[in-house]
Amino acid sequence: MSPFDTFVVVDWSGGNDRGATPKKDAIWACIARDGHSEEPVYLRNRQVAEAWLRDLLEAETAARRRVMVGFDFPFGYPAGFCHALTGGDDPLVLWDWLEKQINDAPNGNNRFDVAGEINRTIGNGSGPFWGNGLSRDINGLPRNKTDYANEFVERRVCEQQAKGSFACWQLSGAGAVGSQILMGLPVLARLRQHFAGAVAVWPFEPLDTPVALVEIWPGLINPVVKQAEVNGELRDVAQVRLLAGALSRLAPLALDEMLAVDAPEEGWIMGLGHEERLIEAAREPIAPPPLRNDCFALPAGVAWTPVEDALDMLRTRLNPVTGTETIPLQDAFGRVLAQDVIAARSNPPQPNSAVDGYGFAGGAPEGAHVLPLIEGRAVAGVPFDGTVPSGHAIRILTGAAVPGGVDTVILEEDVTCDGDQIAFRGPLKAGANTRKAGEDVVAGDVALRVGREFTAADLALMSAVGIARVPVRKRLRVAVLSTGDELVEPGEAAAAGQIFDANRPMLLSMAGAFGFEAMDLGRVVDDRETLRARLDAAAQSADVILTSGGASAGDEDHVSALLQEAGAMQEWRIAIKPGRPLALGLWQGVPVFGLPGNPVAAMVCTLVFARPAMSLLAGAEWCEPQGFDVPAAFEKRKKPGRREYLRARVRDGRAEVFASEGSGRISGLSWAEGLVEIGDGERHIRPGDPVRFIPYGSFGL
């Protein structure tokens, strides 16, 4: 066959429709010919992507151009899995099997249910797949690796050699390659069926067809991609553009060497072992940026990620990671409800009196009324044993069950009683001063919804409807780690250039106040291997890790370097002040928030980003802080482009802000009782102008 004429690289996604506006972590594709890449194409969902690919291949084959299409997800699983599921070793049979099992729509699919069924069928319900990304539990699919067991190897042979690549078993969270596979292979199976005889899959079939499907991994050219990111290009866009261009510039002999692989069951990453050659082919000339002399300035043409966009990405991508347990109601305060609670009994359980007074039937028209009083009375907990005759009344107290023959109660203050009869004036409507059975909650109805964090009032409600034990999420385990040679413990002798660790006690106390289980990981010096070992240990016991310091891109920023090395890091240049880049990643399946080292920025980023994100990870609802518009007691001019948070408090109904905005002034955090949030646009605030004040209490502090 002739060399390839067209190269296409596709950055896949296992998630839902990403909307009409181009976004990161969506499906992106790029076409390259003769060493030149076209403008990358944004494909909002898999249905759009499949149609685009089908149209492209039809056009290319009609034009007699030979096409190589690379997808960034594994084409096979570790040895043995295919046979366990299909009874044979042909991975393409597995493709067809998945195509029949997976149901996919733009905003929903059944991949987690299919994974749970596979686990129950061949893995005893505890593996090989893990990472339930839904709010509901799925039988057989662990949410994390706490109760996980896998009889197959964790990684394919090629992944053991590809530094930073992910295992195919993980279905949710950063680096969830498993979802990409489950949602990608059915699409490729349909393309093979549609272009029967014209498509070959590498390395399972000879590439003697007009179309070749190959597995690629943009991580092989990561140094070049990172440089493109610095220059302002979305990572997904840079990956497809640079890799497509690199493949199209390779000499046919070099391409043949990369394709000369024998991996009949597991598949292989094209270009693995030839990274330097690929990087050289992808490399572009660099040019110095303009001098800005602004620590918050990005290179020309680069935009910050707006706060709202960052929050939206967290809100749509995170899911519960905690397991469930059933506990006594009295222990449920502050815990997160794991499923809807159905009322076992109505509240109130029967009609009852809302006041102390006298009960009778039918109400009373306007005018004077005299009714004979029967013997006995109705008392809360001691119902009247009998029926009140028509035209008679009975003494009844607050909370007492309404006796038969009674539907109306008149207040004792409106009654004259001589012991044998009562006199009162109407009008009084039938049903007055009574409560209907179940007017609060009806037995069989949902009393509390899943995701609710139990309050004292909720405990009262659960008791009232007869609930003694409740299903809750296990507490989110939040590990806190400080990094940096400059840090020492308070009370220790601080040498020149050293400072006391202010972040760790602050973050640990915040995690506890949020209702989570705080775990102190201590401090780590600026040594990458020491940090790696500490993160390894944390991943075995924590559900989420908060680090402070080392999250940027400097020589000693080891947190971001390790997350980048693991292939599970995104560094968001968020348009927020105070705050610098926020590193988000995954370490052995555990989410990591790399917070700034500055305590003011660390606290603000924790409140704004980590707090609501951890709420979702804990199984609760997204934590939206409640703000209040109050008059300003200050003046400030703000430039457009970033959202700002000022340390503030309210006095005499007006918002005061701390005298200095310097992020090194930790005393301002203590002085303040909340934050004033100023939107992204330009603003000149004068005394008396409305500003949004968010008290610390709205964040749960």
Side-chain angles (χ1 to χ4, degrees):
M1 295 290 290
S2 62
F4 292 97
D5 305 293
T6 303
F7 293 85
V8 183
V9 170
V10 182
D11 187 308
W12 200 248
S13 171
N16 290 342
D17 186 286
R18 300 292 289 143
T21 304
K23 296 178 178 67
K24 64 194 309 185
D25 293 334
I27 301 176
W28 288 87
C30 185
I31 301 170
R33 298 187 185 93
D34 300 323
H36 301 287
S37 299
E38 297 182 1
E39 187 71 21
V41 178
Y42 169 71
L43 303 165
R44 59 184 293 172
N45 58 50
R46 286 177 295 278
Q47 290 70 34
V48 171
E50 184 173 348
W52 182 85
L53 286 164
R54 183 177 294 187
D55 291 344
L56 171 68
L57 295 181
E58 287 179 347
E60 293 297 295
T61 53
R64 297 185 179 278
R65 286 192 290 263
R66 194 166 181 235
V67 189
M68 174 182 285
V69 189
F71 295 87
D72 70 333
F73 55 82
F75 282 10
Y77 285 89
F81 176 77
C82 182
H83 192 278
L85 198 59
T86 67
D89 298 329
D90 185 351
L92 299 181
V93 173
L94 177 60
W95 288 25
D96 293 334
W97 186 89
L98 286 173
E99 196 276 329
K100 292 181 174 63
Q101 304 300 317
I102 293 291
N103 298 321
D104 193 9
N107 288 304
N109 58 75
N110 67 338
R111 70 184 188 274
F112 297 110
D113 296 287
V114 170
E117 182 179 351
I118 293 173
N119 282 0
R120 295 193 301 273
T121 301
I122 66 172
N124 297 320
S126 57
F129 291 104
W130 66 275
N132 176 10
L134 302 179
S135 58
R136 61 180 172 88
D137 288 335
I138 294 177
N139 182 22
L141 184 61
R143 290 193 174 275
N144 50 43
K145 284 192 167 182
T146 302
D147 302 313
Y148 175 70
N150 185 2
E151 65 179 81
F152 307 101
V153 297
E154 188 72 6
R155 298 171 184 270
R156 300 178 296 162
V157 173
C158 62
E159 287 154 355
Q160 295 172 25
Q161 299 181 28
K163 190 176 182 181
S165 63
F166 283 90
C168 59
W169 309 120
Q170 180 188 336
L171 299 182
S172 65
V177 173
S179 282
Q180 289 181 289
I181 304 172
L182 291 181
M183 305 315 299
L185 293 183
V187 173
L188 301 192
R190 285 191 291 272
L191 289 175
R192 289 184 71 242
Q193 295 163 13
H194 182 78
F195 295 95
V199 173
V201 180
W202 177 86
F204 310 134
E205 299 176 313
L207 296 187
D208 55 3
T209 56
V211 178
L213 305 182
V214 303
E215 176 186 340
I216 50 92
W217 183 47
L220 297 181
I221 61 166
N222 196 48
V224 187
V225 173
K226 287 178 65 176
Q227 183 59 48
E229 284 187 286
V230 169
N231 293 332
E233 194 170 13
L234 281 179
R235 182 174 184 83
D236 300 341
V237 176
Q239 288 181 158
V240 296
R241 181 181 64 80
L242 292 169
L243 189 50
L247 293 176
S248 71
R249 286 190 285 272
L250 287 172
L253 182 59
L255 193 61
D256 288 343
E257 290 178 2
M258 292 183 185
L259 294 171
V261 168
D262 181 22
E265 180 183 350
E266 292 190 337
W268 196 260
I269 298 169
M270 182 185 166
L272 183 62
H274 303 269
E275 288 87 338
E276 291 302 321
R277 183 177 288 174
L278 272 177
I279 289 172
E280 187 61 34
R283 197 178 300 280
E284 297 176 317
I286 63 171
L291 180 64
R292 303 291 291 279
N293 197 29
D294 179 358
C295 68
F296 284 100
L298 289 176
V302 179
W304 294 86
T305 299
V307 169
E308 231 25 77
D309 287 1
L311 291 173
D312 181 63
M313 285 186 276
L314 290 171
R315 187 186 293 114
T316 56
R317 296 176 195 176
L318 296 178
N319 296 286
V321 297
T322 52
T324 61
E325 59 184 342
T326 299
I327 62 174
L329 179 63
Q330 62 266 28
D331 298 331
F333 180 79
R335 301 295 293 274
V336 176
L337 189 57
Q339 63 187 53
D340 292 348
V341 174
I342 307 301
R345 191 186 194 202
S346 295
N347 183 48
Q350 62 275 315
N352 67 84
S353 176
V355 298
D356 291 342
Y358 298 86
F360 54 93
E366 188 172 356
H369 301 271
V370 177
L371 296 176
L373 192 64
I374 69 169
E375 290 186 8
R377 64 177 187 167
V379 182
V382 186
F384 177 74
D385 185 15
T387 301
V388 178
S390 176
H392 290 67
I394 186 173
R395 175 65 166 158
I396 189 168
L397 301 183
T398 302
V402 174
V406 171
D407 63 9
T408 304
V409 176
I410 186 167
L411 278 76
E412 64 179 24
E413 292 86 353
D414 294 331
V415 171
T416 300
C417 179
D418 63 4
D420 295 321
Q421 56 187 0
I422 61 171
F424 62 92
R425 291 188 177 277
L428 196 66
K429 292 182 179 180
N433 300 313
T434 63
R435 306 184 184 104
K436 297 178 181 179
E439 71 175 21
D440 181 22
V441 180
V442 176
D445 284 356
V446 175
L448 281 181
R449 295 285 183 187
V450 61
R452 172 81 174 184
E453 187 174 329
F454 275 104
T455 65
D458 294 332
L459 301 188
L461 175 60
M462 292 293 94
S463 296
V465 298
I467 303 300
R469 296 177 64 82
V470 289
V472 297
R473 291 277 178 191
K474 295 180 180 179
R475 289 192 186 276
L476 188 76
R477 298 166 299 178
V478 180
V480 177
L481 173 67
S482 292
T483 68
D485 289 339
E486 73 278 13
L487 299 178
V488 295
E489 291 294 302
E492 294 181 356
Q498 290 187 314
I499 59 175
F500 297 118
D501 184 2
N503 279 343
R504 210 167 83 253
M506 175 182 72
L507 295 174
L508 286 167
S509 64
M510 291 173 72
F514 296 152
F516 308 141
E517 180 184 338
M519 304 169 60
D520 188 356
L521 295 187
R523 294 177 293 108
V524 173
V525 296
D526 289 324
D527 178 77
R528 195 160 299 183
E529 293 310 310
T530 303
L531 176 59
R532 186 195 306 275
R534 195 70 59 90
L535 290 175
D536 286 344
Q540 301 306 309
S541 57
D543 298 310
V544 62
I545 302 171
L546 300 183
T547 68
S548 62
S552 191
D555 293 342
E556 298 297 334
D557 289 314
H558 299 296
V559 172
S560 57
L562 283 176
L563 292 176
Q564 193 72 256
E565 178 184 308
M569 178 195 162
Q570 289 187 334
E571 186 181 354
W572 289 353
R573 298 176 177 89
I574 301 175
I576 184 174
K577 178 184 177 182
R580 294 297 300 273
L582 176 66
L584 301 174
L586 205 69
W587 191 264
Q588 295 185 12
V590 177
V592 179
F593 285 82
L595 300 167
N598 183 292
V600 176
M603 182 172 183
V604 169
C605 285
T606 299
L607 294 177
V608 176
F609 301 109
R611 171 64 175 115
M614 291 191 295
S615 182
L616 288 184
L617 292 170
E621 299 174 347
W622 179 262
C623 181
E624 190 76 48
Q626 178 64 56
F628 306 91
D629 286 343
V630 296
F634 61 92
E635 181 173 6
K636 175 180 172 60
R637 291 181 181 272
K638 176 189 170 297
K639 296 178 181 180
R642 281 186 293 155
R643 186 170 302 186
E644 296 192 15
Y645 291 89
L646 309 179
R647 287 149 282 177
R649 65 186 185 186
V650 173
R651 293 292 183 270
D652 299 323
R654 295 158 65 89
E656 301 176 349
V657 297
F658 191 57
S660 171
E661 293 183 20
S663 56
R665 300 284 294 274
I666 306 176
S667 61
L669 292 175
S670 178
W671 172 91
E673 296 166 355
L675 303 172
V676 160
E677 180 185 61
I678 307 176
D680 302 348
E682 182 177 8
R683 189 162 179 203
H684 181 190
I685 300 171
R686 300 176 177 86
D689 288 349
V691 293
R692 185 173 188 246
F693 174 73
I694 309 175
Y696 286 150
S698 287
F699 296 101
L701 295 183

